[in-house]
C-alpha cells in the first residue's frame, strides 16, 4: 500500500496531505462490502465519475475477501486525477479525510437529547423532596461488635440498624472457616457454575439449605434479589398463560421478577386473605397460578398469614412462593424461618427463598423447592446461568453459620431479649413503633426531611447509627427509622439510645405515640399475633434469659418486659 500511496501522492492533493495512518483507517472500515474511503469518495465531484464508470464492470455489494473492486487510491491513479484548479475545499471527499487526519470533529447535533440535564433534573427533584440518599461511612468492627468506626478510624459509633441480625458475620467459627477456605482455594470463584464455578462448597451448602427447609433441593445465587428475580421471571414466563398474585407490600426483587416474567400480575391487599381469595376465584381454575408473598415484611415488621395462603393455594390450584429473607436464621427451632414455627407448614409451601446476608452474616441468596423445580431454574434462568458463582470461602462461611444456627439457640434468645428491652424502653417515653412481634422496630417519623434529620443527629451528636427510610422504600408520609436490636446490645446501650431519641423527639417536636394513634396507625409494644410462649412472643413476664456478648459467649441476664 505504501508504494501505491507514494505514486498517488503525485496526482491527488487529498492523498498527498493525508497521513498514511488516516488513509489506512478509512480504507479498512467496511460497510456493505465497500471501504469507508470508497463510500466517502462518492461525494467527490472528481471521483464520483470514475467510480460510476467502474461500477458498470462490478456488481455491488460483494464480499470484501472476494471483491475485485479497486481501492480509491487505484481509481485516482487509473483516472489520472491531476486537476486541482478548484482547490481542495471543493472536494468533500478530500476535506473530510483532511479533517480526520488533523483530528478535527464534525459539528455536533444541535437537537441531541440532553442526557446530563435529564439526570440532573431527577436528582434535583429527589433533593428537593428530601428523599435523596447519602451513604454514611460505617466500618463494622469484628472484635468490637456492635461498634463501628466512621471515616475517622479513632471514633466509635453504635450500629442499631444492621441486617447482620445475630452478629454471625464476626462469629469466630464463621471467620475461621472463611480464612481456611481462602488459604486452600483462593479468593475468587473462577467462573459461573457451568464454567469452573461449581465445587464441593456449593454442593454442601445447597444440601444444608434443602435440609433446613425440608425440601428436596436448593440452589444458591449471588444474592436473594437475584434469586427472587430469576425464579419468578422464569416460572412466570415458562408456565403457560401464568398469572401471578402479589402482595402489595412485596419486596422490589419480587416485583422486578414478576415484571420481567411478563406474566399477568394481580396485586392483592397486604395480608388480606379475603381480597386474595376474591381475586383467585376470578381466574380460570385450570390456569397456572402463583402466589408470591413474604413471611416477615422488612419495613413493617409484620408477618404474612402463611397457613391461610397455603389453604387458598390448595383450594384454587396455585403454587406458593414464600420469601423468608428476614426470617431465616431468626425463627424456628433450627432457623428455618416463620414457616418452621408451625409443624408441617414448610412442606406445604412450594418454593422458599432466603438470604445468607442477614441472620447468617455472609452474602448470597437461595431458593429451596422440589428437585424438578430447582433443576428447571438451574437449567434455564439467565440470572443463575450467566452469573459468576459465589466464591468457595463465602459458601463455606455461610454453611458454617447455617449449621451453627440449626443447633444454637443462644443468638436468637439474646437478640429477642434485646428487642424486648428496646421496645419497652422506647414505648415508655411515647416513641411510636409500628406494632408487630418480630425483631424489626419501625420508629415512625412521617417526614423524609425530619427522618433524615433525626438520623443525622443520632450519628453526629450521639455516635449512634440508625438509617432513615423514605420513599420509594416506604410510602410518602410514613418515613421512619428502622431499628434492629442485636444480641450484643447491652442494657446500657439501650438506655443511651432511649435518651438520644427522647432528646431529638423533644427538640424537634416530632409526633409521639398519641399523635400516631390518633391517625389510626397501630403503634406500641407489639400485637397479639401469637401466644406469649411461641417463637415470636416478645412481651411477657420477667424471666431469666441469655444474651451474647461480642465474643459470642452466653451470659445470664434478667429480661425486663
Amino acid at each position: 500500500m505504501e508504494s501505491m500511496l507514494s505514486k498517488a501522492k503525485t496526482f491527488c492533493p487529498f492523498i498527498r496531505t493525508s497521513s498514511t495512518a488516516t488513509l489506512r483507517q478509512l480504507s479498512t472500515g467496511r460497510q456493505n462490502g465497500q471501504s469507508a474511503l470508497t463510500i466517502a469518495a462518492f461525494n467527490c465531484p472528481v471521483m464520483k465519475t470514475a467510480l460510476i464508470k467502474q461500477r458498470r464492470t462490478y456488481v455491488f455489494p460483494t464480499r470484501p475477501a472476494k471483491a475485485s473492486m479497486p481501492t480509491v487510491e487505484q481509481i485516482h491513479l487509473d483516472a489520472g486525477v491531476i486537476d486541482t484548479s478548484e482547490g481542495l475545499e471543493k472536494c468533500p471527499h478530500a476535506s473530510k479525510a483532511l479533517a480526520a487526519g488533523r483530528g478535527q470533529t464534525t459539528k455536533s447535533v444541535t437537537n441531541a437529547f440532553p442526557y446530563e440535564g435529564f439526570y440532573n433534573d431527577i436528582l434535583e427533584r429527589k433533593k428537593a423532596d428530601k428523599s435523596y440518599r447519602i451513604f454514611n461511612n460505617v466500618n463494622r468492627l469484628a472484635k468490637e461488635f456492635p461498634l463501628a468506626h466512621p471515616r475517622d478510624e479513632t471514633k466509635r459509633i453504635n450500629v442499631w440498624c444492621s441486617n447482620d441480625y445475630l452478629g454471625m458475620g464476626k462469629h469466630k467459627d464463621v471467620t475461621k472457616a472463611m480464612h481456611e477456605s481462602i488459604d486452600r482455594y483462593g479468593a475468587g470463584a473462577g467462573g459461573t457454575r457451568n464454567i469452573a464455578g461449581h465445587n464441593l462448597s456449593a454442593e454442601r451448602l445447597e444440601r444444608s439449605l434443602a435440609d433446613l427447609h425440608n425440601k428436596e433441593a436448593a440452589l444458591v445465587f449471588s444474592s436473594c434479589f437475584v434469586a427472587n428475580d430469576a425464579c419468578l421471571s422464569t416460572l412466570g414466563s415458562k408456565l403457560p398463560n401464568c398469572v401471578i398474585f402479589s402482595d402489595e407490600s412485596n419486596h422490589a426483587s419480587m416485583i422486578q421478577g414478576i415484571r420481567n416474567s411478563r406474566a399477568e400480575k394481580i396485586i392483592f391487599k397486604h395480608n388480606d386473605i379475603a381480597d386474595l381469595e376474591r381475586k383467585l376465584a376470578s381466574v380460570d381454575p385450570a390456569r397456572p397460578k402463583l402466589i408470591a408473598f413474604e413471611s416477615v415484611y422488612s419495613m413493617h415488621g409484620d408477618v404474612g398469614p402463611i397457613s391461610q395462603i397455603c389453604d387458598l393455594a390448595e383450594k384454587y390450584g396455585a403454587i406458593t412462593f414464600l420469601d423468608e429473607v428476614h426470617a431465616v436464621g431468626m425463627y424456628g427451632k433450627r432457623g428455618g424461618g416463620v414457616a418452621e414455627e408451625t409443624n408441617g407448614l414448610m412442606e406445604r409451601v412450594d418454593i422458599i427463598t432466603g438470604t445468607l446476608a442477614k441472620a447468617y452474616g455472609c452474602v448470597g441468596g437461595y431458593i429451596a423447592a422440589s428437585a424438578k423445580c430447582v433443576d428447571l431454574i438451574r437449567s434455564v434462568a439467565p440470572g443463575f446461568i450467566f452469573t459468576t458463582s459465589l466464591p468457595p470461602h463465602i459458601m463455606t462461611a455461610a454453611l458454617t453459620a447455617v449449621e451453627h444456627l440449626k443447633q444454637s439457640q443462644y443468638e436468637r434468645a439474646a437478640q429477642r431479649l434485646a428487642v424486648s428491652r428496646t421496645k419497652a424502653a422506647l414505648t415508655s417515653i411515647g416513641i411510636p413503633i409500628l406494632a408487630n412481634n418480630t425483631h424489626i422496630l419501625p420508629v415512625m417519623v412521617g417526614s423524609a426531611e425530619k427522618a433524615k434529620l433525626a438520623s443525622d443527629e443520632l450519628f453526629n451528636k450521639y455516635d449512634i447509627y440508625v438509617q432513615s427510610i423514605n420513599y420509594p422504600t416506604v410510602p410518602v408520609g410514613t418515613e421512619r427509622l428502622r431499628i434492629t436490636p442485636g444480641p450484643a446490645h447491652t442494657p446500657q446501650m439501650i438506655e443511651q439510645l432511649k435518651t438520644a431519641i427522647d432528646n431529638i423527639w423533644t427538640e424537634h417536636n416530632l409526633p409521639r405515640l398519641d399523635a400516631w394513634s390518633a391517625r389510626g396507625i397501630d403503634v406500641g409494644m407489639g400485637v397479639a399475633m401469637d401466644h406469649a410462649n411461641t417463637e415470636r412472643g416478645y412481651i411477657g413476664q420477667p424471666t431469666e434469659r441469655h444474651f451474647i456478648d461480642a465474643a459470642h459467649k452466653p451470659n445470664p441476664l434478667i429480661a425486663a418486659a
Side-chain angles (χ1 to χ4, degrees), residues 140 145 162-170 357-362 487:
R140 300 188 309 128
F145 179 82
S162 173
N163 281 343
D164 186 0
Y165 294 135
L166 300 178
M168 293 301 295
K170 57 84 187 174
K358 293 181 170 59
Y360 295 123
C362 297

Side-chain angles (χ1 to χ4, degrees), residues 201-351:
S201 300
E203 292 181 357
R204 290 165 180 162
L205 177 57
E206 288 172 348
R207 282 198 299 268
S208 177
L209 293 169
D211 168 73
L212 177 67
H213 296 290
N214 202 14
K215 297 296 181 187
E216 293 178 345
L219 192 65
V220 172
F221 292 78
S222 56
S223 74
C224 200
F225 191 108
V226 176
N228 283 349
D229 182 11
C231 189
L232 285 168
S233 62
T234 299
L235 291 176
S237 62
K238 296 299 181 184
L239 290 169
N241 197 26
C242 178
V243 57
I244 299 178
F245 297 82
S246 177
D247 188 291
E248 66 180 354
S249 294
N250 275 343
H251 188 262
S253 60
M254 301 168 74
I255 295 170
Q256 186 68 26
I258 295 168
R259 182 182 294 120
N260 289 340
S261 76
R262 300 186 181 181
E264 181 182 351
K265 173 182 64 178
I266 297 177
I267 299 173
F268 61 93
K269 296 177 183 177
H270 179 53
N271 281 353
D272 191 327
I273 293 299
D275 186 51
L276 174 59
E277 180 161 23
R278 282 192 298 270
K279 289 170 177 175
L280 282 167
S282 69
V283 175
D284 184 347
R287 189 175 177 185
K289 294 174 283 291
L290 184 151
I291 306 172
F293 63 109
E294 300 181 37
S295 58
V296 176
Y297 288 85
S298 62
M299 291 301 143
H300 311 321
D302 58 344
V303 177
I306 304 173
S307 297
Q308 296 94 318
I309 290 178
C310 286
D311 291 341
L312 292 181
E314 292 163 4
K315 180 178 179 179
Y316 291 97
I319 59 173
T320 48
F321 180 99
L322 174 63
D323 180 311
E324 287 258 34
V325 162
H326 293 274
V328 290
M330 303 292 293
Y331 305 105
K333 292 182 178 179
R334 302 197 310 153
V338 175
E340 190 188 7
E341 293 181 344
T342 302
N343 289 336
L345 185 55
M346 283 197 302
E347 292 78 5
R348 298 179 66 195
V349 178
D350 295 288
I351 303 164

Side-chain angles (χ1 to χ4, degrees), residues 96 116 124 167 225 277 286 301 344 348 378 409 432 470 476 484 493 499:
K96 288 180 181 179
E116 293 298 319
E124 288 302 318
F225 191 108
E277 180 161 23
R348 298 179 66 195
R378 183 191 69 84
Q409 303 300 323
N470 54 37
V476 173
T484 54
M493 293 176 179
T499 299

Side-chain angles (χ1 to χ4, degrees), residues 392-465:
H393 66 273
I394 294 292
M395 291 192 280
T396 300
L399 173 63
T400 304
V402 171
E403 289 299 316
H404 175 83
L405 290 175
K406 284 181 182 180
Q407 305 296 327
S408 175
Q409 303 300 323
Y410 284 129
E411 290 81 6
R412 286 189 281 271
Q415 195 266 351
R416 290 171 190 187
L417 173 58
V419 169
S420 178
R421 286 175 178 268
T422 307
K423 281 188 175 182
L426 295 181
T427 54
S428 72
I429 56 173
I431 300 301
I433 302 172
L434 275 185
N436 65 62
N437 67 341
T438 63
H439 60 284
I440 297 168
L441 279 61
V443 175
M444 303 303 292
V445 180
S447 159
E449 181 176 12
K450 292 180 179 179
K452 179 68 166 57
L453 181 147
S455 175
D456 288 346
E457 290 201 0
L458 284 169
F459 194 90
N460 296 321
K461 290 184 178 181
Y462 299 96
D463 297 326
I464 291 173
Y465 176 45

Side-chain angles (χ1 to χ4, degrees), residues 166-194:
L166 300 178
M168 293 301 295
K170 57 84 187 174
H171 191 283
K172 59 182 179 61
D173 292 343
V174 174
T175 57
K176 178 183 177 183
M178 180 176 282
H179 282 296
E180 291 175 349
S181 180
I182 289 177
D183 290 342
R184 185 172 188 184
Y185 298 116
T192 66
R193 288 284 288 275
N194 187 54

